[in-house]
């Protein structure tokens, strides 16, 4: 069977179950945390979960611990147990990503990228508010600090890119200067 089909099927089931209990937001936060802090950062976790020698209880505890919250939602615990009992561990990362995608689609959340020269939580908040107002939806910006842009920011959202960095402005000035000098000569 296709990895995508299995992943989406399980993710839809998790979303439907969480929505029926009114906990889809909490499960979304937990799945984001699991992906960003554990599954991507610690690749050994995925290999450990796929290890057939370990018991289901051990794998379940590892997954709950990997979420990184004091108390994991009952819905996500039950989802982990289902995946482990059905021996679908190797698809778990894809299921989690599928859940995140389905949740964002359901809640009309756009994901963008923001690159700044220094960390700036106020700028992130302001740009998320502005983008949310313009798109009539919710916007989440994944931030990255890149000192090489010198100042300003670069925002990418819904296929559009706005480069308001000092580095880009300096490049434009340089191109204009070179073009002007060629015309003079």
């Amino acid at each position: 069977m296709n990895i995508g089909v299995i992943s989406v099927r399980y993710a839809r089931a998790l979303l439907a179950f969480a929505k029926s209990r009114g906990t889809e937001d909490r499960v979304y936060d937990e799945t984001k945390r699991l992906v960003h802090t554990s599954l991507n950062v610690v690749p050994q976790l995925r290999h450990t979960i796929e290890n057939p020698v370990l018991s289901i209880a051990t794998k379940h505890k590892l997954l709950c611990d990997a979420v990184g919250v004091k108390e994991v939602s009952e819905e996500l615990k039950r989802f982990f147990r289902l995946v482990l009992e059905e021996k679908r561990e190797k698809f778990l990362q894809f299921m989690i990503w599928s859940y995140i995608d389905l949740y964002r689609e359901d809640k009309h959340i756009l994901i963008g990228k923001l690159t700044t020269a220094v960390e700036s939580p106020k700028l992130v908040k302001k740009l998320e508010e502005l983008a949310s107002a313009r798109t009539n939806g919710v916007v989440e910006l994944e931030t990255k600090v890149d000192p090489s842009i010198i100042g300003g920011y670069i925002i990418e959202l819904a296929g559009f890119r706005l480069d308001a960095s000092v580095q880009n402005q300096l490049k434009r000035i340089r191109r204009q200067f070179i073009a002007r000098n060629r015309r003079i000569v």
Side-chain angles (χ1 to χ4, degrees), residues 6-183:
I6 293 170
S7 302
V8 170
R9 206 173 273 167
Y10 275 77
R12 275 198 186 114
L14 175 59
L15 182 60
F17 181 56
K19 282 178 85 170
S20 73
R21 299 179 125 208
T23 59
E24 69 271 19
D25 298 337
R26 181 176 176 192
V27 173
Y28 173 66
D29 291 336
E30 291 172 347
T31 54
K32 276 192 344 185
R33 184 180 284 260
L34 177 64
V35 166
H36 294 299
T37 59
S38 299
L39 291 175
N40 285 345
V41 178
V42 186
Q44 295 84 3
L45 175 64
R46 200 174 85 237
H47 297 298
T48 303
I49 298 303
E50 292 174 14
N51 185 344
V53 176
L54 292 177
S55 69
I56 289 176
T58 304
K59 292 177 184 182
H60 190 266
K61 182 173 179 354
L62 277 171
L63 286 169
C64 290
D65 290 344
V67 172
V69 294
K70 196 172 195 176
E71 186 61 37
V72 176
S73 66
E74 191 59 38
E75 294 76 18
L76 194 57
K77 284 181 184 178
R78 287 179 66 178
F79 178 73
F80 287 155
R81 184 153 311 281
L82 172 69
V83 170
L84 295 170
E85 287 172 355
E86 296 296 320
K87 300 193 183 324
R88 300 284 193 188
E89 301 92 0
K90 66 182 175 181
F91 304 120
L92 183 63
Q93 186 171 8
F94 301 107
M95 291 174 193
I96 297 297
W97 274 113
S98 295
Y99 177 83
I100 291 170
D101 289 342
L102 290 170
Y103 176 89
R104 287 174 176 165
E105 184 180 311
D106 186 59
K107 299 289 183 174
H108 307 289
I109 298 173
L110 290 173
I111 300 301
K113 293 181 183 176
L114 176 67
T115 305
T116 56
V118 294
E119 204 166 312
S120 180
K122 286 183 181 178
L123 176 65
V124 173
K125 188 175 191 290
K126 183 68 175 172
L127 288 173
E128 283 178 340
E129 289 171 0
L130 285 170
S132 293
R134 297 285 281 176
T135 61
N136 295 323
V138 178
V139 173
E140 292 181 4
L141 294 175
E142 296 173 356
T143 59
K144 175 183 161 188
V145 175
D146 182 3
S148 73
I149 69 168
I150 304 169
Y153 58 88
I154 302 168
I155 186 169
E156 299 172 55
L157 181 64
F160 295 100
R161 177 183 164 108
L162 172 65
D163 191 339
S165 67
V166 172
Q167 179 188 37
N168 186 50
Q169 292 173 8
L170 290 172
K171 282 180 185 176
R172 286 184 21 215
I173 292 169
R174 182 173 180 256
R175 281 190 298 243
Q176 289 173 351
F177 181 75
I178 291 170
R180 225 177 249 142
N181 283 341
R182 285 186 184 154
R183 278 186 255 153

